[in-house]
Amino acid sequence: MSLSLWNWNNHSPFGGFDDAFVSGSPVFGIPALTAFKNDNLLHSSPRYEVSENSKQFRLAVDVPGVKADDLKVDLEHDGRVLHMAGHRKVEKDNSYEEYKFEKRFTLGRDLDTSKLTANLSDGVLVLTVPKKEKEEPKSTTVPITQGEAPALMDE
């Protein structure tokens, strides 16, 4: 069984690492792995679980305390990259700190991303996408004509 998901970070030489810990300030072109403010880690990475069967693919992400309005799920790069981002505020000593996460995954070509669904319940965001029906390879004979080839079309 082959999974249809890979970590995605098109700006990082650490493409397989957990890119949720990457801050916005690279050092020598290499992203910093953590961002601290008042000795508290402000970027966090939710745990996730990947499962699939012959009909569908499922990604369950732990996001305790995060409301649906504070989550964003987008498909990028023609539906090949799943981009998730979210945040929550935590009250601490009469002030609020905001914890953020951002994660990208490359999706396999065997998934029908136009039918992706997202459901948030009890602190778990579940993303489900069906697999495409497997089509038999097609073969087509291309007719060959004689004579001068047509000119290149104008743009």
Side-chain angles (χ1 to χ4, degrees):
M1 187 179 293
S2 64
L3 293 179
S4 303
L5 181 77
W6 299 272
N7 281 324
W8 168 272
N9 187 343
N10 63 338
H11 300 295
S12 173
F14 304 108
F17 281 55
D18 189 350
D19 58 335
F21 284 102
V22 175
S23 73
S25 355
V27 178
F28 304 112
I30 300 172
L33 293 179
T34 56
F36 293 93
K37 180 180 179 186
N38 300 331
D39 296 324
N40 291 322
L41 182 65
L42 294 182
H43 289 264
S44 62
S45 180
R47 293 189 179 271
Y48 59 91
E49 179 181 296
V50 177
S51 58
E52 71 176 331
N53 59 30
S54 62
K55 295 184 180 187
Q56 70 180 7
F57 174 84
R58 183 175 179 256
L59 174 65
V61 184
D62 290 337
V63 288
V66 180
K67 299 174 187 167
D69 290 342
D70 296 331
L71 287 169
K72 185 175 181 186
V73 177
D74 292 316
L75 286 171
E76 301 172 344
H77 298 277
D78 295 323
R80 297 266 301 136
V81 176
L82 175 70
H83 179 201
M84 297 183 342
H87 64 94
R88 69 181 172 132
K89 291 182 180 178
V90 176
E91 186 175 359
K92 189 172 187 178
D93 300 326
N94 297 326
S95 66
Y96 287 94
E97 288 187 349
E98 186 171 15
Y99 292 82
K100 297 180 180 183
F101 74 89
E102 184 172 342
K103 197 119 184 104
R104 283 185 171 88
F105 300 96
T106 301
L107 301 174
R109 295 182 190 275
D110 62 334
L111 300 176
D112 186 355
T113 57
S114 68
K115 296 180 180 174
L116 175 72
T117 61
N119 179 278
L120 179 64
S121 177
D122 296 328
V124 179
L125 176 66
V126 177
L127 300 152
T128 307
V129 61
K131 292 185 176 182
K132 292 179 181 176
E133 294 290 325
K134 291 187 179 183
E135 296 179 7
E136 294 296 320
K138 295 180 183 178
S139 177
T140 304
T141 302
V142 178
I144 300 173
T145 59
Q146 290 187 349
E148 193 173 319
L152 188 61
M153 292 190 275
D154 292 332
E155 290 185 32

